[in-house]
Amino acid sequence: MEKTKKKKNAYSAALMEELTAVCDTFLPSIHLSDHHRQFYQTSASMTQTPHHLAEMLGEKIKHPKIYLSRLALFLLSTRLGTFILCGRKSLSENFPYLQRFSRVLPHKREQILLSWSDSCFSLLRILYAALKIFTLLVFFTLVNGKDENVSWEAIGYIRPDRKARKPVIQNTPHEKAREKEEECISEKERFGPLYNGIINLNQSREIALQKLEKSGFPVSIPHSNGAKIKSSDPSFIVKCDVVVVGSGSGGGVVAGVLAEAGYKVLVLEKGSYLARSNLSLLEGQTIDQMYLGNGVLGTDNMDVLLLAGSTVGGGSTINWSASIRTPPHVRKDWSENHKLEMFGGEIYENALDVVCEKMGVQSEFEQEGFNSMILRKGCEKLGYPVESIPRNAGPDHHCGWCNLGCRDGKKKGVSETWLVDLVESGHGAILTECEALKVIVDQKDRKKRACGVSFMFESDGVKEIAVIESKITVVACGAICTPPLLKRSGLTNRNIGRNLHLHPVVNAWGYFPDSPSSSNCNYVWQKRSYEGAIMTAMSKVEEEHSGYSAAVIQTPALHPGMFSALMPWRSGRDIKDRMVKYSRTAHLFALVRDRGSGFVASPDHVGYKMDGADRENLRKGIERGLRVLAAAGAEEIGTHHRNGRVLKVKEAGEEELERFVVEESSKVLEENLSWPISSAHQMGSCRMGVGPRGSAVGPTGESWEVGGLFVADSSVFPTALGVNPMVTVQAIAYYVAQCVVQSLGGKRVV
C-alpha cells in the first residue's frame, strides 16, 4: 500500500513571475472601447491562467521533454539566461542592458516568442509549440463559479443548459405502471444505463467487494504466501472466466459478447464512468476527465498532438459518431497482402453487419452542422465528390457536443450498447478507475499462459494492488496503452509497440460573417460553427492511378480551447481577433492513410515519422479544402501554418486565390513544427499477422508468446485504415470474441 502524497507547487515565485510574463505575452490586456472590450482587456494572468498552467506542467504532463519548460523558465528568471534564450531583442537601452524576460517590453516579448517558433534550434521550436498550445488551451477552457468563460460572449459561444432533459414518458394504461416506468427511466437518466454494473473501489472497498460477490465473482483475501497468484501482496483476489482490460470499442464488444454467452466477465477501466446527467459538457473539464493523459498527449517532438478516450466506453464515448465500414480495398490488402483470410470472407462481413446493426448506423440527418454544410456546398459547386457519413446516431441527433460526451444517449457508443448487454446479462461488471499493471503469466513445460491481471486502485487516499484470476485475458487498452502493458508483462515480440499509425490530420479554415451578403446564402449565416451534427459529409481525394483515396476531407468538432490551440499565433491582438470570429469560422481537415509509422514505449513516449508520400497526400487534401471553403463563400481563408497568412477572398482575383492555395498547401511539406498535426486515430502497434516475425498476435487475436492472452483493439490493425476506425475495431473485436468463446470450449456464432 502506498499513500498518495500531496503535491506541492513545482514552481517558485521567480519561475511563476516568468511564466506569467509568457502567458501575458500570448494573451495580453488590450484596451478597446467596442462591445468586446472585456474580452480584449482580460489578460491571461487576470484569469489565473499561469497558476493552472503551472499545475498542468508540474503535475499532469509527463512528456519526456517537459523539463524544457522548467529549464526555460529558470533561464528567463536570470538576466544572462534571458539573453541566451532571447538574444538582442531582450536587451534594455539602459545599463546594465541585460534583463529578465518579465522586464522586457511587451512588444519585444512578442517578437521573441515568434523567433522561437521558427528557430533553427528544434528545442526552442518545441518549447514555443508547447507553451503556445497549453496557454491558449487553459485560458479558453477555464470557467468561473458560474461555469462561464470570460471570452464566450465575445466569440459567440453558448454551451447547452446543464440541466438534463426530462425523459419523455409515453402514456400507460395504469397509473402504477406509469409511475414505475417513470421511476426506472429517472434512475437510468440519473445514474446511467451501466449503473448497476459499475463497481468503484475508490469509494468503499468493502461495499465494492460485497457487490462483486453478489454478482457471482468469488473474492478472497490472501493471508499467506500460499496464494495461487503472487503480485506484490494483493489486497484481494477475485476470480472470473475472462478479464478484459479496457472498455472501449474493442474491450466493450468482447465483454458484451462473452457475458451474453454466459461467461463471467470483469472489465478493468482506467478511466471513470460519467452518467449522462453528470456530463458537464465543459471542454476543459471533459478533456481532463475523459481523455488519455488529460488531453495533452503528443509525440516526442510535439509534432503530432494525440487525442484518445480514457473513460468507460473509450473513444466511442467522445468520438464524432462517424461509423464507416472497413473499405473494400483495405480488406483486400489485409486478406491478400497480409494473408489474413478472414477479412476477405463472409465471417468478417457478418461481423460488420452485426456491429452496425447494434449501433443503429444510418446516414440520414435532420440538421447538418455548420462545417459539414460548408463542405457539402463547396464540393457541389466545384463538382468534387461528396457523400454522407454513416453515424451511430439517429437523424434527430445533432447536438454538436458529442466529443464531450452524449447527454441524451442517442449516440450509440459502447456504453449505450455492448456494455449494457454485459450489465443486463447478469454475468459481468466494470471496475472503474483501476489501472492494469501487468498480465500475470504462468509457465509450465516452457509453455506460457495468461492467468490473470494485477491492477492498482486508490481507496481512501491509499494506493492498493489487487489481482483478477481468469481463464482468458483480453487486452484492449488502445494502440497507445496496449503495447506498454504487454511489455510490462514480459512479452518480447519485436512488433509490440512498433508499426504505429496515426492518421495524421491538418486543417484549413474559412470565415463566414454572421450577416448575409450578396454571396452568402441563408444556410451559411444562420448557424454557429459548433452547432449541428459534427460530421455528416466527406469528400475523397483520389490518387491518380490507384483509384484509392489519397486523402479524405472531413469536418472537426472544435470548441474554443482546441480551436485556439490549433490556430496560428502572430501577436496577442491577432489571436483575439481570430477568436472573435470563432463562431463563424468553418474548419475542414485532410486525413491520410499513412504509410509512415512510429513506436510506443509509453503513453508519454511516442515517436512518429511521417512518410514523404503522406505529406504529399496531406498537401492535396488541404489544397482541396481551401478551394472548397472559397467556393462555399468564405470571406477569408487560411490554414494553421505558423505564418498565419490570411486571404481575403472577396478582394482577391482568381490568380491571387490560386497562388495562395498552392503556396499555403505546399507548406504542409515542411517538417519543423510549422504546422500543428493532430491524430484522433491510433492503430497498428500490436499488429495482427500470420507469423511472429511480422506480427504481435495471430489471426485470432491471440498472442504468439502467451496462450490465453488476446488483443482486441485498434492496435491489431495490420496497416493504417484510412477512415474513422470505430466500426472496424468493433468488427475485429466481435470476431476475436468468437475466437475466445471457442478457446473456452464454446461454439462460435459467426
Side-chain angles (χ1 to χ4, degrees):
M1 296 184 185
E2 180 187 339
K3 258 197 171 177
T4 54
K5 298 177 182 178
K6 258 192 171 180
K7 295 178 181 176
K8 298 179 181 178
N9 189 343
Y11 292 87
S12 65
L15 298 188
M16 283 303 302
E17 182 179 350
E18 303 312 314
L19 182 60
T20 299
V22 170
C23 292
D24 281 348
T25 304
F26 281 118
L27 290 163
S29 176
I30 300 168
H31 294 281
L32 291 180
S33 58
D34 67 6
H35 59 290
H36 296 319
R37 65 179 180 274
Q38 182 183 5
F39 168 51
Y40 277 92
Q41 290 176 3
T42 303
S43 67
S45 60
M46 292 168 68
T47 65
Q48 297 298 308
T49 292
H51 170 78
H52 290 276
L53 180 57
E55 181 183 356
M56 178 186 285
L57 295 173
E59 299 177 13
K60 295 180 180 179
I61 299 175
K62 309 298 181 184
H63 193 277
K65 290 189 173 67
I66 192 62
Y67 71 90
L68 282 177
S69 62
R70 190 179 183 87
L71 175 61
L73 292 174
F74 169 74
L75 291 173
L76 294 177
S77 68
T78 67
R79 295 176 178 180
L80 181 59
T82 298
F83 179 69
I84 292 172
L85 283 185
C86 307
R88 297 172 64 181
K89 293 184 178 68
S90 66
L91 296 177
S92 168
E93 294 180 355
N94 303 316
F95 184 81
Y97 309 117
L98 298 178
Q99 57 185 340
R100 290 180 285 124
F101 182 78
S102 55
R103 296 292 182 263
V104 177
L105 293 174
H107 73 280
K108 290 286 187 68
R109 295 204 305 253
E110 286 189 341
Q111 293 173 18
I112 289 168
L113 292 185
L114 284 175
S115 72
W116 290 356
S117 73
D118 61 357
S119 170
C120 59
F121 297 106
S122 62
L123 291 181
L124 275 180
R125 297 197 302 271
I126 293 171
L127 176 66
Y128 167 82
L131 291 175
K132 175 252 184 181
I133 289 170
F134 298 147
T135 300
L136 297 180
L137 181 65
V138 170
F139 179 86
F140 286 100
T141 58
L142 271 178
V143 293
N144 58 23
K146 297 181 180 179
D147 285 347
E148 297 171 344
N149 181 281
V150 68
S151 71
W152 285 356
E153 183 179 354
I155 69 178
Y157 184 70
I158 304 172
R159 63 176 286 243
D161 185 358
R162 181 167 184 174
K163 186 178 179 182
R165 302 173 192 171
K166 291 184 178 180
V168 178
I169 310 294
Q170 301 294 330
N171 289 328
T172 53
H174 305 287
E175 191 61 30
K176 286 186 178 180
R178 175 185 171 86
E179 289 176 3
K180 186 175 181 181
E181 182 180 354
E182 190 169 22
E183 183 181 336
C184 290
I185 294 180
S186 176
E187 183 177 282
K188 185 176 181 181
E189 287 289 324
R190 182 180 177 188
F191 300 114
L194 304 180
Y195 174 70
N196 290 326
I198 296 291
I199 297 178
N200 192 336
L201 292 164
N202 295 0
Q203 296 174 354
S204 170
R205 192 182 72 174
E206 289 70 24
I207 293 175
L209 296 185
Q210 289 175 12
K211 191 172 181 180
L212 277 170
E213 290 191 317
K214 285 182 180 179
S215 301
F217 297 98
V219 178
S220 61
I221 310 295
H223 297 289
S224 68
N225 293 331
K228 180 181 176 183
I229 296 180
K230 301 174 184 178
S231 183
S232 303
D233 300 321
S235 299
F236 65 88
I237 298 173
V238 58
K239 294 184 178 182
C240 63
D241 293 320
V242 181
V243 58
V244 180
V245 184
S247 65
S249 290
V253 172
V254 172
V257 170
L258 295 177
E260 286 227 303
Y263 298 102
K264 302 298 290 185
V265 181
L266 281 177
V267 178
L268 279 179
E269 172 53 54
K270 180 181 178 181
S272 59
Y273 176 59
L274 293 175
R276 299 168 189 165
S277 60
N278 291 331
L279 294 171
S280 68
L281 301 186
L282 289 170
E283 184 183 14
Q285 189 179 104
T286 300
I287 288 174
D288 195 49
Q289 292 178 337
M290 300 174 74
Y291 283 72
L292 186 62
N294 306 106
V296 287
L297 287 183
T299 53
D300 287 351
N301 291 324
M302 286 295 291
D303 44 2
V304 183
L305 305 177
L306 307 173
L307 293 176
S310 184
T311 185
V312 172
S316 74
T317 300
I318 46 86
N319 70 13
W320 305 342
S321 303
S323 304
I324 303 172
R325 295 168 76 101
T326 314
H329 68 277
V330 176
R331 290 181 58 184
K332 183 179 180 181
D333 177 26
W334 291 356
S335 63
E336 294 181 3
N337 298 332
H338 294 268
K339 310 302 180 185
L340 295 165
E341 296 178 359
M342 70 131 171
F343 289 108
E346 292 184 10
I347 289 179
Y348 187 70
E349 187 69 28
N350 180 64
L352 289 171
D353 292 340
V354 170
V355 300
C356 285
E357 182 179 356
K358 188 74 168 180
M359 291 189 288
V361 174
Q362 58 84 47
S363 302
E364 301 299 319
F365 54 85
E366 290 180 1
Q367 291 186 32
E368 190 158 38
F370 177 79
N371 297 306
S372 292
M373 293 167 70
I374 297 298
L375 173 57
R376 194 180 298 274
K377 183 70 175 180
C379 286
E380 289 174 349
K381 188 168 182 179
L382 294 172
Y384 293 149
V386 62
E387 56 192 83
S388 294
I389 297 178
R391 300 180 299 138
N392 61 335
D396 62 340
H397 185 61
H398 40 73
C399 71
W401 274 268
C402 274
N403 62 314
L404 308 179
C406 187
R407 182 179 292 170
D408 59 18
K410 290 182 178 180
K411 184 178 77 169
K412 299 303 177 185
V414 171
S415 60
E416 299 286 343
T417 51
W418 299 99
L419 290 178
V420 174
D421 291 347
L422 169 84
V423 172
E424 293 183 349
S425 72
H427 298 299
I430 305 164
L431 298 174
T432 58
E433 299 178 53
C434 294
E435 182 174 3
L437 299 176
K438 67 177 182 177
V439 176
I440 301 169
V441 179
D442 188 25
Q443 183 168 352
K444 290 181 181 178
D445 301 327
R446 296 185 179 180
K447 290 184 179 180
K448 295 180 179 180
R449 187 164 185 86
C451 52
V453 173
S454 65
F455 65 95
M456 184 171 61
F457 65 96
E458 188 173 310
S459 179
D460 297 324
V462 177
K463 290 182 178 180
E464 300 186 44
I465 292 175
V467 164
I468 298 175
E469 290 184 2
S470 62
K471 300 172 185 176
I472 295 290
T473 300
V474 180
V475 175
C477 313
I480 299 296
C481 294
T482 286
L485 174 58
L486 296 182
K487 287 184 176 181
R488 290 197 302 269
S489 306
L491 277 72
T492 59
N493 182 290
R494 64 189 296 271
N495 295 287
I496 296 173
R498 299 178 65 181
N499 311 301
L500 174 70
H501 297 281
L502 297 180
H503 278 178
V505 160
V506 292
N507 286 267
W509 59 266
Y511 172 56
F512 297 77
D514 57 5
S515 58
S517 68
S518 58
S519 60
N520 278 337
C521 305
N522 290 340
Y523 80 95
V524 172
W525 55 271
Q526 288 179 343
K527 283 198 173 189
R528 296 181 175 92
S529 60
Y530 55 89
E531 292 180 334
I534 294 172
M535 182 180 281
T536 53
M538 174 173 71
S539 179
K540 296 176 182 177
V541 182
E542 304 294 340
E543 289 185 337
E544 291 182 9
H545 305 296
S546 67
Y548 302 145
S549 298
V552 293
I553 313 297
Q554 295 180 335
T555 58
L558 291 179
H559 292 268
M562 289 304 296
F563 180 101
S564 66
L566 293 174
M567 269 288 184
W569 182 90
R570 301 303 299 169
S571 69
R573 173 63 185 266
D574 177 74
I575 192 63
K576 290 191 175 185
D577 288 345
R578 290 174 187 266
M579 290 305 298
V580 166
K581 298 175 180 178
Y582 160 76
S583 68
R584 301 298 307 156
T585 300
H587 269 83
L588 309 179
F589 67 78
L591 176 153
V592 300
R593 184 189 180 201
D594 46 327
R595 296 176 174 88
S597 64
F599 67 87
V600 181
S602 75
D604 307 305
H605 184 14
V606 179
Y608 183 74
K609 179 68 174 177
M610 198 185 304
D611 187 87
D614 298 333
R615 289 189 179 274
E616 174 59 22
N617 286 335
L618 282 175
R619 185 198 65 75
K620 293 176 182 177
I622 214 68
E623 179 180 323
R624 174 172 294 188
L626 288 168
R627 296 186 192 282
V628 166
L629 289 163
E635 290 203 358
E636 298 175 357
I637 59 173
T639 68
H640 288 167
H641 188 273
R642 66 168 174 242
N643 69 10
R645 279 186 68 193
V646 176
L647 179 72
K648 296 186 180 299
V649 180
K650 307 303 178 186
E651 301 173 10
E654 289 186 15
E655 186 176 329
E656 187 178 355
L657 171 62
E658 180 66 20
R659 184 168 58 252
F660 179 87
V661 168
V662 171
E663 289 176 357
E664 292 305 299
S665 60
S666 296
K667 288 173 182 172
V668 79
L669 300 174
E670 300 173 3
E671 299 185 32
N672 56 358
L673 284 174
S674 65
W675 196 318
I677 298 172
S678 309
S679 165
H681 309 151
Q682 301 88 37
M683 67 213 86
S685 53
C686 287
R687 68 182 177 189
M688 183 182 285
V690 293
R693 180 170 292 184
S695 61
V697 299
T700 64
E702 190 170 16
S703 164
W704 293 114
E705 300 175 73
V706 179
L709 173 59
F710 292 78
V711 178
D713 57 29
S714 62
S715 68
V716 304
F717 287 14
T719 68
L721 182 65
V723 295
N724 310 68
M726 178 170 61
V727 170
T728 300
V729 175
Q730 292 199 16
I732 291 176
Y734 184 79
Y735 174 76
V736 170
Q738 306 304 322
C739 296
V740 172
V741 169
Q742 191 174 39
S743 178
L744 288 166
K747 188 177 180 181
R748 294 188 191 181
V749 296
V750 294

